[in-house]
Amino acid sequence: MDFLERLFGRRKPTSKIIAKERLRLVLVHDRASISPQVLDSLKEDMLDVISNYMEIDRRGTEVTLNSDKESVALIANIPVIGVVGRNKRGVRI
Amino acid sequence: MGEVIVVTSGKGGVGKTTTTANISTGLASMGKKVVMIDTDIGLRNLDVVMGLENRIVYDLVDVTRGDCRLRQALIKDKRFENLCLLPAAQTKDKTAVQPEQMRELCEKLKKEFEYVIIDCPAGIEMGFKNATAGAERALVVTTPEISAVRDADRIIGLLEAAELPNPLLIVNRIRPTMVKKGDMMDIDDMIDILAIDLLGVVPEDESIVVSTNKGEPAVLDMKSMAGQAYRNISRRITGEDVPLISMESEDGFLSKIKKFFGIQR
C-alpha cells in the first residue's frame, strides 16, 4: 500500500497535520468535559433502554464523540441482532 | 483611567513572563505609564527578566497584607521613569493573596497608570484566579505545540467563565522554516482551532535568550526579530492598526498559495 501511495505521489501526512488532528480530537473531549467513565455509563444506560425494544450485541457496541468543524456529535454503533418478541423472520413468538 | 491586562497561557514555559516584560517595556518606550504585577507567588521571575532583582524590598503580599504602602513596593525601571514593577513574594504562602484584594489593588493602580500588565502564573488554580480577578482584558500566549494549544483552549474557556471574554492570542516561538516543511502548526491552524483573534506572532529568536541573560527586554533591541514583533504587539495594544510583518505573515501566505496549488509539502 505504502509503495502504491508513493508511486502515485501521495505522501504521508506531515507532522503538522497529525498534530492538528490529534489536537482536534483531544479538544472535543476537553470541551465536552465528558470523561471516559461518564461516556461509559451513558453507553450502559443507552443500551439498557434499547434492550427493551431490540436484541443487541452489547460487546460489539461503540459509543464515541466526534467533531466536524463546528459541531460535536455523539456516535453510537450498536449491532442489532433482532427485535424483542420476534424471531429472525419477523414472526411474533 | 488605565486598562488592566492579564497575560495568561495555562501551560508553563510558553513565554508569559517574557511577553509581559516586553509589552510593558514596549508600551513604556512609547511614553505610556505602565505598571507590571508579577502574581506568581513563590516562583517570581519577572524581576530577573527585567533586570530589577537587586532592587526588591517589598512585594505583592506585603502590599495586600498592609505591611507596606503600595508606593513603597513599586520598583522603578532602570530605563524608563514611567515603568514600574510590583514583584511577587518569593517565600510566602501561595494562598496569601485573595482575588478580592487583587481587584482592589488593580482599581488603585489603574487610577495612576495607563496600563496595568499582570503576569499570570501557569496553571488554573488560585494564582490564575488572583491574576484574572482585577483584569479587564486578557492576552493568551501559546506556542505551536499540541500541549500548549490544548491548555490555551482551556484557559480561553475559563476566561469566558470569569467574564473576560474575547481574549487575544499571541503565538510565540514560531519557526518559519519548520512551518514551511509542514512540521509545525501555522498561525491559521491555531486561530482556526482556538477561534479567537490574533494580536501578534513572535518568532523563535536567540536574541530572547541573550536579552534575558542580560535582564534587558528584547523589545529595546532594534536588531531583534522577536523585539520587532513585541514592538508591533505593543502598538496594537494601544489601538494602532499595525499589519503583521512579513516574517509573521509569510507562512500564512505561503501556505495559502500551496493550498491553492494543492501542494502539501
Side-chain angles (χ1 to χ4, degrees):
Chain A
M1 266 317 274
D2 212 354
F3 164 73
L4 276 177
E5 274 184 7
R6 233 177 286 159
L7 190 70
F8 290 107
R10 269 178 60 196
R11 293 177 199 223
K12 283 186 183 163
T14 58
S15 71
K16 160 196 136 151
I17 290 168
I18 297 170
K20 222 182 148 179
E21 273 319 301
R22 289 178 58 217
L23 186 59
R24 228 180 252 291
L25 210 69
V26 154
L27 290 183
V28 168
H29 282 266
D30 287 358
R31 286 174 183 174
S33 50
I34 290 179
S35 66
Q37 289 94 320
V38 171
L39 204 60
D40 206 53
S41 66
L42 167 69
K43 175 178 142 186
E44 289 305 317
D45 283 355
M46 237 163 57
L47 294 186
D48 286 345
V49 172
I50 294 168
S51 303
N52 292 333
Y53 304 88
M54 288 168 176
E55 201 181 323
I56 51 179
D57 175 10
R58 291 186 88 105
R59 288 184 166 218
T61 296
E62 249 179 72
V63 177
T64 51
L65 284 173
N66 220 327
S67 81
D68 283 338
K69 267 219 142 142
E70 265 144 38
S71 61
V72 178
L74 181 70
I75 311 247
N77 189 350
I78 307 168
V80 178
I81 297 167
V83 175
V84 171
R86 286 177 191 264
N87 72 9
K88 263 187 198 163
R89 294 177 202 280
V91 177
R92 211 181 289 265
I93 45 171
Chain B
M1 271 302 227
E3 195 176 16
V4 186
I5 303 174
V6 61
V7 180
T8 62
S9 71
K11 189 176 177 297
V14 299
K16 278 182 298 300
T17 302
T18 306
T19 299
T20 305
N22 277 288
I23 61 179
S24 301
T25 307
L27 287 166
S29 74
M30 294 161 67
K32 306 285 180 194
K33 273 200 92 182
V34 184
V35 60
M36 300 169 267
I37 311 178
D38 186 351
T39 58
D40 202 349
I41 294 167
L43 293 168
R44 90 170 157 221
N45 272 326
L46 187 52
D47 54 335
V48 284
V49 174
M50 290 297 297
L52 300 172
E53 66 275 16
N54 293 328
R55 305 185 176 197
I56 297 178
V57 183
Y58 296 109
D59 56 49
L60 176 63
V61 173
D62 295 321
V63 172
T64 51
R65 276 192 187 152
D67 292 345
C68 72
R69 278 176 289 119
L70 177 55
R71 194 160 294 282
Q72 288 177 296
L74 294 179
I75 301 163
K76 269 221 155 66
D77 182 61
K78 294 174 187 170
R79 295 141 290 226
F80 297 100
E81 272 274 295
N82 48 329
L83 178 61
C84 286
L85 166 70
L86 179 54
Q90 182 68 338
T91 50
K92 282 147 197 154
D93 192 4
K94 263 192 171 185
T95 56
V97 180
Q98 295 297 315
E100 193 43 50
Q101 295 172 312
M102 281 301 294
R103 221 166 281 139
E104 276 169 36
L105 177 66
C106 291
E107 280 303 315
K108 265 188 221 163
L109 286 170
K110 76 186 202 189
K111 281 183 190 132
E112 221 179 302
F113 293 89
E114 285 167 277
Y115 291 96
V116 181
I117 314 284
I118 302 172
D119 186 15
C120 178
I124 54 175
E125 290 95 26
M126 199 63 194
F128 173 77
K129 285 180 188 130
N130 280 333
T132 51
E136 295 155 336
R137 220 166 132 188
L139 308 182
V140 176
V141 183
T142 191
T143 59
E145 292 155 60
I146 293 194
S147 48
V149 179
R150 180 193 197 178
D151 290 359
D153 186 76
R154 184 109 173 89
I155 284 294
I156 295 164
L158 289 168
L159 289 169
E160 277 168 11
E163 281 165 41
L164 267 173
N166 310 322
L168 296 172
L169 186 69
I170 294 176
V171 179
N172 195 12
R173 291 219 198 115
I174 198 120
R175 295 206 214 171
T177 50
M178 286 194 78
V179 174
K180 268 178 219 161
K181 274 201 296 182
D183 278 330
M184 185 175 266
M185 282 188 280
D186 64 33
I187 309 306
D188 295 342
D189 293 332
M190 280 175 278
I191 292 176
D192 187 28
I193 286 172
L194 294 174
I196 64 172
D197 289 333
L198 182 70
L199 181 65
V201 179
V202 184
E204 173 88 65
D205 188 347
E206 289 180 4
S207 71
I208 289 288
V209 180
V210 177
S211 72
T212 309
N213 285 346
K214 296 186 197 160
E216 291 166 2
V219 71
L220 300 174
D221 178 355
M222 292 301 153
K223 286 182 223 137
S224 160
M225 284 288 266
Q228 179 62 52
Y230 280 123
R231 281 194 291 282
N232 288 354
I233 289 171
S234 307
R235 286 167 63 195
R236 288 183 198 121
I237 288 174
T238 66
E240 225 181 293
D241 185 19
V242 186
L244 291 174
I245 51 179
S246 65
M247 167 276 308
E248 293 175 283
S249 59
E250 181 183 26
D251 306 308
F253 181 63
L254 246 172
S255 71
K256 265 173 209 143
I257 292 179
K258 283 185 175 171
K259 260 183 223 155
F260 182 74
F261 288 108
I263 302 164
Q264 264 203 343
R265 228 173 236 259

